């Protein structure tokens, strides 16, 4: 980019549209002010244009408010759905962890019992071996 492009970046379409709208309003106001009309007609024209702009502004504000309300409802619904999904997933994970924990505990108990039985057998075998060698 050259210096000019850095100093004056390309404007977006909405910025251009805003400038066009404001320029149109200023041009219309200037045309009305410099037109050769009597004061009463000029004031009537200005009043009419102001009312027109006010009505359009109210319409735009209503549309924007409706869209914002719809967007808020959509975001709220999506957030609620996401919370339900996360909660269900959390419950599924917790159930899996509990099941795995119970399986591990059962396996540990079985292994402990097997070790105890092997220990008793080894003790008996050692006792028999000692008794057979001492006789």
């Amino acid at each position: 980019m050259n210096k000019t492009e850095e100093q004056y970046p390309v404007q977006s379409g909405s910025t251009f549209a805003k400038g066009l709208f404001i320029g149109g309003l200023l041009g219309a106001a200037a045309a009305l002010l410099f037109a050769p009309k009597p004061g009463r007609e000029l004031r009537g024209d200005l009043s009419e244009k102001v009312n027109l702009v006010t009505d359009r502004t109210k319409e735009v504000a209503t549309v924007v408010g409706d869209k914002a309300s719809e967007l808020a409802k959509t975001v709220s619904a999506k957030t609620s759905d996401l919370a339900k999904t996360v909660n269900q997933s959390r419950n599924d994970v917790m159930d899996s962890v509990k099941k795995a924990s119970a399986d591990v505990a059962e396996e540990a108990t079985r292994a402990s019992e097997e070790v105890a039985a092997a220990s008793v057998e080894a003790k008996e075998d050692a006792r028999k071996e000692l008794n057979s060698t001492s006789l």
Side-chain angles (χ1 to χ4, degrees), residues 24-40:
L25 287 177
L26 291 175
L32 288 174
L33 290 175
F34 292 110
K37 290 186 178 181
R40 183 171 291 164

Side-chain angles (χ1 to χ4, degrees), residues 98-127:
K98 285 178 185 177
K99 185 177 185 288
S101 177
D103 290 347
V104 168
E106 184 179 314
E107 201 58 40
T109 302
R110 230 182 277 137
S112 177
E113 290 170 354
E114 289 175 8
V115 167
S119 176
V120 169
E121 283 181 33
K123 190 176 180 182
E124 282 297 317
D125 288 345
R127 185 176 296 146

Side-chain angles (χ1 to χ4, degrees), residues 8 11 33-34 53-54 59 82 84 93-95 102 118 122 127:
Y8 303 103
Q11 300 295 319
L33 290 175
F34 292 110
V53 169
T54 302
E59 289 173 10
L82 179 63
K84 288 176 185 176
V93 168
M94 289 299 293
D95 290 344
R127 185 176 296 146

Side-chain angles (χ1 to χ4, degrees), residues 1-129:
M1 292 179 97
N2 62 29
K3 287 184 178 181
T4 305
E5 289 174 336
E6 289 177 6
Q7 290 176 347
Y8 303 103
V10 177
Q11 300 295 319
S12 68
S14 66
T15 305
F16 179 76
K18 288 177 190 174
L20 187 65
F21 180 71
I22 292 171
L25 287 177
L26 291 175
L32 288 174
L33 290 175
F34 292 110
K37 290 186 178 181
R40 183 171 291 164
E41 280 184 42
L42 182 62
R43 284 191 300 273
D45 288 348
L46 285 174
S47 176
E48 182 179 314
K49 297 294 182 184
V50 167
N51 287 337
L52 179 67
V53 169
T54 302
D55 291 343
R56 296 243 175 144
T57 303
K58 287 178 183 178
E59 289 173 10
V60 169
T62 301
V63 169
V64 168
D66 292 345
K67 294 289 182 182
S69 182
E70 289 175 21
L71 180 63
K73 288 177 184 176
T74 302
V75 167
S76 177
K78 297 285 184 185
T79 302
S80 178
D81 291 345
L82 179 63
K84 288 176 185 176
T85 302
V86 167
N87 194 27
Q88 182 62 40
S89 297
R90 180 186 58 86
N91 289 338
D92 292 347
V93 168
M94 289 299 293
D95 290 344
S96 297
V97 168
K98 285 178 185 177
K99 185 177 185 288
S101 177
D103 290 347
V104 168
E106 184 179 314
E107 201 58 40
T109 302
R110 230 182 277 137
S112 177
E113 290 170 354
E114 289 175 8
V115 167
S119 176
V120 169
E121 283 181 33
K123 190 176 180 182
E124 282 297 317
D125 288 345
R127 185 176 296 146
K128 287 179 186 178
E129 191 68 33

